[in-house]
């Protein structure tokens, strides 16, 4: 909702109009990139004209005093860019998507992977297994802040704790050991 | 949206079977155009229906052509065009690899379309090897736009358009064609000289 300003003196009113116009242009130069034609042509008429409402001749002389008094000129396109010019810009080789040459095949699962990134499928597999291990840990601990001050060892079906795992906490998982999870 | 739903249904449903499924009586299968089809079947979908006469023994084998498209994708046609341009002329495996690691929203959609088309090719269009396909044409088209209000500050508003696009792809059996060598200056000069030589002189001896 716009603020209505009533000024008794005509000099104050013109000063206010000028200040308002400068304020708008100074504070909001970059908001209307997509809609600058509509803002400039259709909607800006309301802006400076609506502020000093209450004046009788504000509608008739809406554009003229603001254009004459405001010093700041905004850049605007002079001519329409033809579709040929637009196409030259949009289809320039720098704007086209480059083909990626860093795609390989993962030796473990055979899916595609980028050279400097972990294989998505293998990572998802490991993530799922980690989630199940964490659920087991959560069940064993029973609540928050119950983590023991010892190391944890994960044992799968048919595995016994060795003498190296003497003082460690043991987490049991009810499945066969996955091939990628190497036992120490 | 109902019309779009029907169109989406029609794009994957086999169009040849509409006559059999829509008719209750055997005689009414002649006129099913207005009763069963709610939306027009697009031109690209109809291209799969053309049947060539059997080839003569001496003719070279005509490679299989598979047309597939997806309608009313919620993406801009200009942005989709860059992906379509990336894929043009690649083999299907290379195209799938490039799309998998592209960050664009349309890449996921185009990948699904290519996989669907590959499966269609193997099942229905008598393609032997699913990797032996290359992309002959890939284009985008404008879908239905919706106009909505975009609210700015101070009670101002603008009208924005919510754009959708279609994506069309044509797969052809066989290895991809070799890329064209770029035109050299020598070739351009030769063409120019040839054009000068082709001129005919009128009203002379």
């Amino acid at each position: 909702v716009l603020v209505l300003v009533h000024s008794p003196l005509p000099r104050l009113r013109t000063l206010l109009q000028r200040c308002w116009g400068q304020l708008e242009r100074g504070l909001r130069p970059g908001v209307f990139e997509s809609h600058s034609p509509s803002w400039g042509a259709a909607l800006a008429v309301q802006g400076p004209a609506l502020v000093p409402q209450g004046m009788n001749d504000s509608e008739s002389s809406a554009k003229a005093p603001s254009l004459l008094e405001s010093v700041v000129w905004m850049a605007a396109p002079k001519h329409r860019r033809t579709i040929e010019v637009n196409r030259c810009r949009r289809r320039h080789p720098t704007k086209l998507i480059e083909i990626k040459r860093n795609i390989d095949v993962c030796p473990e699962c055979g899916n595609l992977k980028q050279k400097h990134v972990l294989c998505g499928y293998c990572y998802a597999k490991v993530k799922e297994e980690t989630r199940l291990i964490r659920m087991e840990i959560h069940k064993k601990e029973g609540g928050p802040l119950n983590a023991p001050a010892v190391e944890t060892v994960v044992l799968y079906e048919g595995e016994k704790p060795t003498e190296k795992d003497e003082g460690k906490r043991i987490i049991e998982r009810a499945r066969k050991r996955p091939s990628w999870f190497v036992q120490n | 949206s109902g019309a779009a739903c029907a169109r989406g249904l029609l794009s994957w449903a086999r169009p040849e079977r509409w006559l059999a499924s829509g008719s209750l009586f055997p005689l009414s299968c002649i006129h099913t155009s207005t009763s069963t089809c709610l939306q027009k079947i697009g031109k690209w979908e109809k291209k799969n229906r053309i049947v060539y006469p059997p080839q003569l023994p001496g003719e070279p084998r005509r490679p299989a052509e598979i047309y597939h498209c997806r309608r009313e994708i919620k993406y801009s046609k200009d942005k989709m065009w860059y992906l379509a341009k990336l894929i043009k002329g690649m083999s299907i495996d290379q195209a799938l690899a490039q799309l998998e690691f592209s960050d664009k929203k349309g890449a996921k959609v185009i990948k699904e379309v290519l996989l669907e088309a590959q499966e269609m090719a193997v099942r229905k269009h008598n393609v032997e090897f699913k990797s032996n396909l290359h992309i002959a044409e890939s284009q985008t088209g404008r879908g239905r736009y919706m106009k909505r209000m975009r609210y700015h500050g101070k009670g101002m508003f603008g009208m924005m358009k919510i754009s959708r696009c279609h994506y069309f792809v044509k797969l052809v059996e066989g290895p991809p064609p070799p890329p064209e060598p770029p035109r050299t200056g020598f070739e351009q000069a030769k063409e120019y000289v040839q054009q000068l030589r082709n001129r005919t002189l009128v009203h002379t001896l």
Side-chain angles (χ1 to χ4, degrees), chain B residues 77-89:
Chain B
K77 70 167 168 49
D78 297 311
K79 296 175 195 169
M80 191 69 118
W81 181 83
Y82 288 108
L83 289 160
K85 176 79 185 154
L86 175 73
I87 297 182
K88 251 185 239 184

Side-chain angles (χ1 to χ4, degrees), chain B residues 9-27:
Chain B
L9 278 172
L10 286 169
S11 69
W12 61 254
R14 289 172 294 173
E16 307 88 44
R17 292 280 174 223
W18 265 114
L19 294 167
S21 61
S23 59
L24 298 164
F25 306 103
L27 284 174

